Structures are given as structure tokens and as C-alpha cells.
Amino acid sequence: MTKIPIYFVPGLAANTKIFEHISLPEEHFELIFLDWILPANANEPIQDYAQRMCKKIQHENPILVGVSFGGIMVQEMSKHISFNKVIIISSIKNNQELPNRLKLAQITKAYKLFPSKIISNIEKYEQYFFSDYLKKRAELYKIYLSVRDKTYLQWAIFNVLHWAQSETLPYITHIHGDNDEIFPLKNIKGAQIIEQGTHIMILNKAKTISKILETECFLLN
């Protein structure tokens, strides 16, 4: 039996370990996890970058799954290849779904103040995380946020805030948490909602997400 290929793209700065708890029947699905590549330069158009990511696709008509910025990326990739389905998790379908605070960051260019040095050198700064919550977050960053190249971080943040997609593509399946602190649910339309799901629910709601993915991947158009 031919397996259904599913390509996964992680969130901004994240590595493919974020998918370690996703479980789908091995007899039906082949899971392929795509790591981020470095942008050619800080000004590389997202369309060009998406085309380069598409070169990693080794199957015809795959399913594309992306988390957060990875959700934006798989939508851009879908414009360059044939596919069976596009599924986004904890992401947005158009730039109207950006929360006002991120729109403000784009307008004021406050994003340029983003402390990329902290992420790129998290071990150096973790001594300043005093609360248990921040220490736990620092540990998660060390495990899952390993793409720390400064040019990549600046490029990725810019492209989240300046994504030119104004209309929702008609073929997107959207899975979203009702407690997402990055992309609040009040700005999201037409998504399957996971209760008590945060922006990192790919880690702690993986069982629920896996069930939805299995159902959606069997319902190929």
C-alpha cells in the first residue's frame, strides 16, 4: 500500500523536534520533517525562499503541515507545487489575522528591537531568568529553538509582520488553540478549535492534534 506523504515545517526558529509527539499510523502515512534553511540574505523575498524549500519535496502531491511561521511557509510553498492538502497549526491564513500589537510593531518598526541576541545566545542569558516559569521557557527554547542565526531570525520576523497575503487561500485547513497568546483566537476565522490550546500546543496537545491530522489526511479531496 502506498503511504500518504506528509511534510512538516516547524515554527519560527524551531527545529523539527517540536513534532516528536505527533503520532500517525505508520502503515498509512510517511512523515517527513523539513528543517529551516538559511535565507540567501536578509532581504530574500519569501516567495524565493519558499521555492527553495520546495526543492526538499521528494513526493508528488504531498500534504503540507506547518506550525506558526511554518504555517505561513507551507502556504507560500503551496503556490509553487502540486499538493493534496495544506494544514496550518497555531498560525494565520492572511495578514488580517495578525493581532493589533503585531500590526503596530510592523508600522512602528519596533520589531527591529527584537532581542535576537538573546535567542541566539540563550545559554549566556539564562542566568537572568529568575522565575521558575522563565527558567522552564528557557529550557524549552534551548531544546526546540535551535535555529539561532541572526540573519534568519531578522528575516523570519520581518516576513511574519510583512506577509502580503491579504486573502485566505481557499484550500487551507486551520487548527488553532483558544488560548493562543501569539495569534489570539479573536482574530482567527474558520479554524478547528482545540480547547486550552496555547501557541505551543504542538507539544502539549499533540495527541489531540494527531487525531485531527489523521482525520483530515484521510479526507483528501
Side-chain angles (χ1 to χ4, degrees):
M1 179 175 60
T2 302
K3 295 183 180 181
I4 299 171
I6 309 177
Y7 284 79
F8 292 82
V9 180
L12 193 154
N15 57 51
T16 58
K17 287 183 181 179
I18 69 166
F19 300 112
E20 63 185 353
H21 302 303
I22 294 295
S23 179
L24 295 169
E26 293 182 1
E27 65 270 24
H28 296 297
F29 302 105
E30 180 179 356
L31 279 54
I32 304 99
F33 304 103
L34 300 183
D35 289 306
W36 291 106
I37 55 179
L38 296 182
N41 54 66
N43 299 313
E44 181 178 16
I46 193 171
Q47 298 88 348
D48 293 356
Y49 185 97
Q51 283 187 298
R52 292 202 291 128
M53 285 288 281
C54 285
K55 293 180 180 179
K56 294 187 172 189
I57 304 295
Q58 302 296 317
H59 298 81
E60 293 184 0
N61 300 315
I63 294 171
L64 303 176
V65 178
V67 173
S68 191
F69 181 50
I72 291 175
M73 183 53 56
V74 295
Q75 290 175 78
E76 288 296 322
M77 291 169 66
S78 74
K79 299 173 184 178
H80 302 289
I81 62 171
S82 298
F83 58 89
N84 262 322
K85 189 178 280 283
V86 178
I87 302 172
I88 66 172
I89 302 167
S90 305
S91 190
I92 56 174
K93 299 182 292 298
N94 58 66
N95 54 26
Q96 304 304 309
E97 294 187 333
L98 276 175
N100 288 335
R101 58 185 173 78
L102 292 184
K103 291 179 181 177
L104 182 62
Q106 186 244 63
I107 294 170
T108 61
K109 298 186 179 181
Y111 62 89
K112 292 187 176 182
L113 302 176
F114 181 79
S116 56
K117 282 186 178 180
I118 293 180
I119 288 185
S120 60
N121 296 283
I122 192 72
E123 290 84 2
K124 182 178 179 181
Y125 291 92
E126 64 179 322
Q127 60 182 306
Y128 300 110
F129 297 128
F130 299 113
S131 72
D132 289 340
Y133 173 79
L134 289 177
K135 288 178 180 177
K136 289 179 181 178
R137 276 299 173 106
E139 286 301 316
L140 287 176
Y141 289 161
K142 286 163 64 178
I143 296 170
Y144 297 108
L145 298 187
S146 63
V147 187
R148 304 181 188 180
D149 179 83
K150 187 176 180 180
T151 299
Y152 164 83
L153 291 172
Q154 293 174 341
W155 173 87
I157 293 166
F158 177 89
N159 279 287
V160 170
L161 299 180
H162 294 82
W163 192 33
Q165 189 68 40
S166 59
E167 300 290 336
T168 297
L169 299 171
Y171 45 78
I172 305 300
T173 297
H174 192 170
I175 304 170
H176 211 80
D178 60 1
N179 289 328
D180 193 304
E181 65 276 20
I182 303 298
F183 301 128
L185 184 61
K186 66 180 181 180
N187 300 304
I188 304 298
K189 297 181 180 179
Q192 295 188 45
I193 307 304
I194 293 183
E195 293 184 1
Q196 299 181 355
T198 66
H199 195 65
I200 60 170
M201 66 180 184
I202 193 69
L203 297 176
N204 53 28
K205 295 286 184 180
K207 186 175 181 180
T208 301
I209 293 173
S210 294
K211 290 181 179 178
I212 296 175
L213 288 177
E214 182 175 353
T215 298
E216 289 294 333
C217 291
F218 275 129
L219 294 175
L220 295 178
N221 294 326

